[in-house]
Amino acid sequence: METFERARLDAYFTRIAVQFAPDEQSSSFLITHLLAERPAFVRAVAAMTRLAAVLPKPKSVHPAAQRETERTVVVDALTRELFTNPDTTLDYFESRAAGEPISLLDVGGYFAPTLTDVHSRFTGRLLGVVEDTENGHLRYEALDKLPCPVISVARSPLKDPEDYLVGQSVVFSTEAVMRGRGDILHGRPALVIGFGKLGSSIARLLHAKGVQVTVFDIDPVRRTQALSQGFTVARERETALTGAGLVLCATGAVSLRGEDFSHLRNGAYVATVTSSEDELELASLPDVYTRTVVGDHITRYQTTGHYFYLANGGNAVNFIHGASVGPFIFLIQAEILAAIRMLTRGGLPPGMHEVPAPDREAIAATWLSYFNR
């Protein structure tokens, strides 16, 4: 990033932080993809809260961004296990922010498993959670009873540009990986599992490239949407897998279980839009499959009479090339900052919430003044 671009980005976040300055100081824990441009967002969070720790998602850490962040903020290692055991979770929060009011800024529902314990046992006060992703939104929504407010930006209109551009980056990276092995998209039927905002974007982009696309989704409403847009819709996952030369998993939940992989046709490529732990049950794959790295970011899984290729170890394929969506990502990051103010103000009942439309409009207007020049 050029010096003038960094200055513009810092000025933008400074403006947003002033617009949505919280009435009281609280602490926060930030889970994030620590990509090259992310330190500016981290600084904005630190300007609005006492940032107790940054927990980078392990598959998306830019070394220079981590070094820059570590100069001013504690950076801790992130694992799912850290927040699945109540005692471990509480020990961690007590070590970083004992007795303080805290907001949890999440990407993927990491805090969901022990949220009730944190709310009832933490020596400070849990103000609530801000969730960035659809799979995280679903994890919180699935809890029997939310003990605190959860503000989700996953379905915000400000995320639509990001979702579209993430879809582009997924298709770009998938094609680049295939071309690295001498394969191409054309002539290879594709199956897109999941027809949400990302999956539908990927399906349309593949179709625009002349690829024959089939869609599978467990939601009948989304299946009707896919049909209305001209896609073939599979009745059964297994049948769809046998005919696909490329499988793109975009559910944010488990797309392929251990028994599904045997249905893949020989030589099929599998790629995902999120981490392997969310989309693929690779641990359930029979031990008869051998794993061999056969190219940059490609692993061949092979057993007698059957083989397929897995891109980027099953993790988000677009992170191979940085997953950049340009300045549009700063829209949703600003909405996260607005959500921090909502939690700090209090008054929200336990349950799922959204940032109000007037706040989104204010963010969009500010963003346009900086990035639509």
Side-chain angles (χ1 to χ4, degrees), residues 13-28:
F13 276 124
T14 298
R15 174 90 172 271
I16 292 292
V18 170
Q19 278 182 286
F20 296 100
D23 302 323
E24 298 178 7
Q25 182 76 0
S26 63
S27 296
S28 65

Side-chain angles (χ1 to χ4, degrees), residues 4-20 37 40-41 44 48 158 326-338 359-373:
F4 74 91
E5 292 174 319
R6 290 171 61 93
R8 178 172 59 181
L9 184 55
D10 282 332
Y12 164 75
F13 276 124
T14 298
R15 174 90 172 271
I16 292 292
V18 170
Q19 278 182 286
F20 296 100
E37 91 296 331
F41 173 60
M48 295 182 65
L158 293 182
F328 294 95
I329 188 68
F330 309 139
L331 285 162
I332 209 67
Q333 289 171 354
E335 190 168 350
I336 291 169
L337 298 178
D359 287 351
R360 291 172 177 161
E361 292 166 7
I363 288 167
T366 300
W367 184 92
L368 287 167
S369 70
Y370 281 88
F371 298 104
N372 187 35
R373 294 185 175 182

Side-chain angles (χ1 to χ4, degrees), residues 260-313:
D260 293 326
F261 290 96
S262 63
H263 296 287
L264 292 167
R265 87 179 196 185
N266 276 337
Y269 285 82
V270 176
T272 77
V273 304
T274 186
S275 61
S276 57
E277 63 189 10
D278 291 326
E279 288 281 357
L280 307 173
E281 282 191 351
L282 291 172
S284 300
L285 199 64
D287 291 335
V288 295
Y289 280 88
T290 60
R291 298 152 175 82
T292 307
V293 177
V294 294
D296 290 341
H297 310 291
I298 284 287
T299 304
R300 182 179 64 226
Y301 283 69
Q302 185 171 16
T303 188
T304 304
H306 187 235
Y307 70 99
F308 64 90
Y309 300 107
L310 182 64
N312 200 28

Side-chain angles (χ1 to χ4, degrees), residues 4-285:
F4 74 91
E5 292 174 319
R6 290 171 61 93
R8 178 172 59 181
L9 184 55
D10 282 332
Y12 164 75
F13 276 124
T14 298
R15 174 90 172 271
I16 292 292
V18 170
Q19 278 182 286
F20 296 100
D23 302 323
E24 298 178 7
Q25 182 76 0
S26 63
S27 296
S28 65
F29 291 83
L30 172 64
I31 293 176
T32 187
H33 297 287
L34 200 50
L35 302 175
E37 91 296 331
R38 206 55 53 98
F41 173 60
V42 173
R43 287 191 291 272
V45 175
M48 295 182 65
T49 67
R50 188 189 78 78
L51 185 50
V54 173
L55 298 110
K57 295 203 69 165
K59 302 299 183 181
S60 53
V61 178
H62 188 279
Q66 179 163 346
R67 289 192 297 270
E68 182 178 349
T69 301
E70 287 173 335
R71 287 199 286 267
T72 56
V73 181
V74 172
V75 176
D76 290 326
L78 174 66
T79 63
R80 286 279 180 195
E81 292 70 28
L82 178 60
F83 300 113
T84 53
N85 180 282
D87 293 331
T88 303
T89 302
L90 285 160
D91 286 345
Y92 174 71
F93 286 137
E94 297 291 357
S95 71
R96 295 289 184 224
E100 300 177 17
I102 61 170
S103 299
L104 307 179
L105 313 180
D106 203 352
V107 179
Y110 278 83
F111 300 118
T114 51
L115 192 66
T116 300
D117 292 276
V118 173
H119 184 264
S120 62
R121 296 169 55 189
F122 178 55
T123 59
R125 181 163 55 97
L126 176 58
L127 300 177
V129 180
V130 182
E131 172 56 51
D132 184 15
T133 65
E134 178 64 20
N135 63 321
H137 179 112
L138 295 174
R139 287 175 190 269
Y140 287 107
E141 201 171 49
L143 295 179
D144 289 337
K145 186 178 180 181
L146 284 168
C148 64
V150 175
I151 302 174
S152 174
V153 301
R155 299 174 182 180
S156 166
L158 293 182
K159 202 174 177 71
D160 290 346
E162 177 190 344
D163 289 332
Y164 173 74
L165 292 167
V166 167
Q168 282 196 325
S169 72
V170 166
V171 173
F172 170 85
S173 294
T174 301
E175 185 171 22
V177 165
M178 291 173 61
R179 284 182 178 274
R181 296 200 68 258
D183 287 325
I184 60 173
L185 289 174
H186 297 83
R188 185 179 288 269
L191 171 65
V192 177
I193 302 179
F195 200 72
K197 289 192 291 184
L198 267 182
S200 58
S201 173
I202 291 167
R204 287 192 292 270
L205 289 160
L206 288 171
H207 178 73
K209 285 178 170 285
V211 176
Q212 178 187 335
V213 180
T214 298
V215 168
F216 176 80
D217 197 299
I218 61 172
D219 184 343
V221 174
R222 288 181 175 173
R223 293 202 296 271
T224 62
Q225 291 170 339
L227 274 173
S228 73
Q229 295 177 35
F231 295 109
T232 300
V233 175
R235 295 175 181 269
E236 298 177 345
R237 186 199 320 256
E238 293 78 7
T239 303
L241 288 172
T242 60
L246 168 65
V247 180
L248 277 159
C249 304
T251 65
V254 177
S255 291
L256 296 178
R257 303 188 184 280
E259 63 271 18
D260 293 326
F261 290 96
S262 63
H263 296 287
L264 292 167
R265 87 179 196 185
N266 276 337
Y269 285 82
V270 176
T272 77
V273 304
T274 186
S275 61
S276 57
E277 63 189 10
D278 291 326
E279 288 281 357
L280 307 173
E281 282 191 351
L282 291 172
S284 300
L285 199 64

